[in-house]
Amino acid sequence: MIIVMQADASQADIDRVVQRVEGLRLRPHVIVGTERTVVAVVGDERDAAGSGFETLPGVASVMPILAPYKVASREVQSEPTVVRAGSLVVGGTSIGVIAGPCSVESLEQIVETARQVKALGATALRGGAFKPRTSPYSFQGMKEQGLELLAEARRETGLAIVTEVVSPEDVPLVARYADVLQVGARNMQNYRLLEAVGRTQVAVLLKRGPAATVEELLLAAEYILDGGNRQVMLCERGIRTFETHTRFTLPLATVPWLHARTHLPVVVDPSHGTGHANLVPAMAAASIAAGADGLIVEVHPDPKCASSDGAQSLDFPAFGRMMDLCRRVAEALGRTLG
Ligand code: PEP
Ligand code: MN
């Protein structure tokens, strides 16, 4: 349920509500809005029956949260969440652009990419150090050494680092380096991993599983939010369908659908969503037209030599053209790219 505080409720009023909620062995999430504060109460709500919150000083009203996801819901927070992680701002009027290779391969590759994508307007650098690969024989990533190279690229350019974490035990290590922890599509329903990233205060990019519904995506986000980490971005990266002309099918109706139901920002990945570099710029522009708050795009200095996902990676000139196109669409919608 949601406990809506009066506009003039004092901190003591809010603290009293929080203590009462905790006394019922439920979890309070205090959400401070521009107009008023609400306390979202999660847990087994049967424990709250007849608890009389309406009568506490400073409480305006008490309502049920109808959506199965609670803290992620627009019912709890009507204003959009803006995720800020170093140079990256995603949400509100800002459209963040995360660009870089699928995998970190060498110091030269990652620093050169960071410099080039920054010059072309990217606001964060992506690069996988721990790679979840379909085949155990494919390149698995440079692991901790790759994280060191990402940190070097950040020192050189100031770009925030977005990198994937694939298992709960790696979270403390990856969180020491990353500005944004990426939870990959294959791990969207790895609930122990979601809990582990939820215990950090590092921003999270949560990718949709290729066979997950958007409601399941929101419930996965809820694990992170319920852990206390509110800096969560949702990412549409394509789903599996009968269609074979693209690697996945990229459903852009996800973006306005999610915006109607959640305050969390939505990022689109047109690289994995299409699997073909020549389709990426148009789908990036279409994502912005659909209301996306960010893009994550694979860019490589020499895509044909990439250790992973070369076919869907843009080279620097193509990324520059994509940015020009996307900037025009963003401006037409009154938003800023980067
Ligand atoms: C990636 O970003 O390189 C990646 C593996 O993405 P996904 O989890 O969406 O497949
Ligand atoms: Mn990839």
Side-chain angles (χ1 to χ4, degrees):
M1 67 187 166
I2 313 169
I3 301 170
V4 183
M5 303 302 295
Q6 290 165 359
D8 61 354
S10 66
Q11 190 57 47
D13 293 337
I14 298 167
D15 292 346
R16 195 177 303 107
V17 168
V18 165
Q19 275 162 21
R20 173 83 67 97
V21 172
E22 286 171 346
L24 293 166
R25 288 194 305 276
L26 295 165
R27 281 185 307 291
H29 289 275
V30 179
I31 291 146
V32 182
T34 47
E35 312 234 306
R36 54 180 66 194
T37 295
V38 307
V39 182
V41 180
V42 296
D44 188 344
E45 290 200 14
R46 284 171 301 186
D47 294 341
S51 47
F53 285 105
E54 297 84 348
T55 61
L56 289 182
V59 172
S61 59
V62 178
M63 305 182 265
I65 307 173
L66 300 175
Y69 36 89
K70 307 291 176 190
V71 189
S73 165
R74 278 261 181 211
E75 295 170 63
V76 163
Q77 181 184 317
S78 54
E79 297 135 42
T81 289
V82 179
V83 171
R84 292 171 203 277
S87 59
L88 180 69
V89 183
V90 175
T93 55
S94 299
I95 300 174
V97 180
I98 306 161
C102 181
S103 305
V104 179
E105 296 165 4
S106 67
L107 180 64
E108 203 186 8
Q109 173 239 21
I110 198 68
V111 171
E112 166 75 350
T113 306
R115 286 207 181 102
Q116 294 280 347
V117 298
K118 184 181 180 186
L120 294 166
T123 48
L125 176 69
R126 62 151 291 150
F130 290 86
K131 293 303 300 177
R133 302 306 300 282
T134 303
S135 163
Y137 308 119
S138 301
F139 176 59
Q140 300 291 314
M142 293 180 76
K143 313 224 162 83
E144 188 165 358
Q145 204 194 341
L147 297 175
E148 292 281 355
L149 301 184
L150 285 165
E152 182 57 32
R154 175 173 51 203
R155 275 192 291 276
E156 291 278 332
T157 60
L159 285 181
I161 299 303
V162 181
T163 195
E164 181 161 356
V165 57
V166 293
S167 68
E169 45 303 355
D170 292 336
V171 170
L173 170 70
V174 182
R176 276 209 301 280
Y177 291 89
D179 298 289
V180 177
L181 295 168
Q182 177 174 325
V183 174
R186 293 161 184 79
N187 269 316
M188 190 204 86
Q189 287 175 312
N190 180 341
Y191 298 117
R192 299 299 84 80
L193 178 61
L194 299 175
E195 286 168 351
V197 299
R199 284 191 291 270
T200 75
Q201 287 303 311
V202 181
V204 178
L205 180 77
L206 176 63
K207 295 187 114 187
R208 177 183 184 178
T213 66
V214 262
E215 188 162 296
E216 287 165 340
L217 172 64
L218 285 168
L219 284 164
E222 191 75 14
Y223 271 84
I224 303 169
L225 298 167
D226 191 36
N229 187 346
R230 300 264 180 83
Q231 292 280 291
V232 179
M233 295 169 263
L234 304 171
C235 179
E236 174 57 82
R237 47 76 74 210
I239 54 173
R240 181 141 293 166
T241 69
F242 54 81
E243 194 44 274
T244 55
H245 77 296
T246 48
R247 183 178 178 192
F248 293 92
T249 296
L250 185 61
L252 293 182
T254 302
V255 180
W257 190 94
L258 283 171
H259 278 152
R261 286 160 181 83
T262 181
H263 51 85
L264 298 175
V266 183
V267 173
V268 176
D269 176 347
S271 307
H272 293 85
T274 62
H276 300 282
N278 62 325
L279 302 179
V280 169
M283 294 313 287
S287 303
I288 293 174
D293 303 294
L295 296 170
I296 179 165
V297 180
E298 289 187 338
V299 181
H300 193 281
D302 187 4
K304 62 184 178 316
C305 295
S307 302
S308 56
D309 287 350
Q312 66 193 35
S313 299
L314 300 176
D315 59 15
F316 301 136
F319 178 67
R321 290 192 295 276
M322 183 207 91
M323 289 296 282
D324 289 343
L325 178 64
C326 289
R327 209 171 278 115
R328 294 208 299 275
V329 179
E331 279 166 12
L333 294 168
R335 300 188 80 182
T336 320
L337 194 65

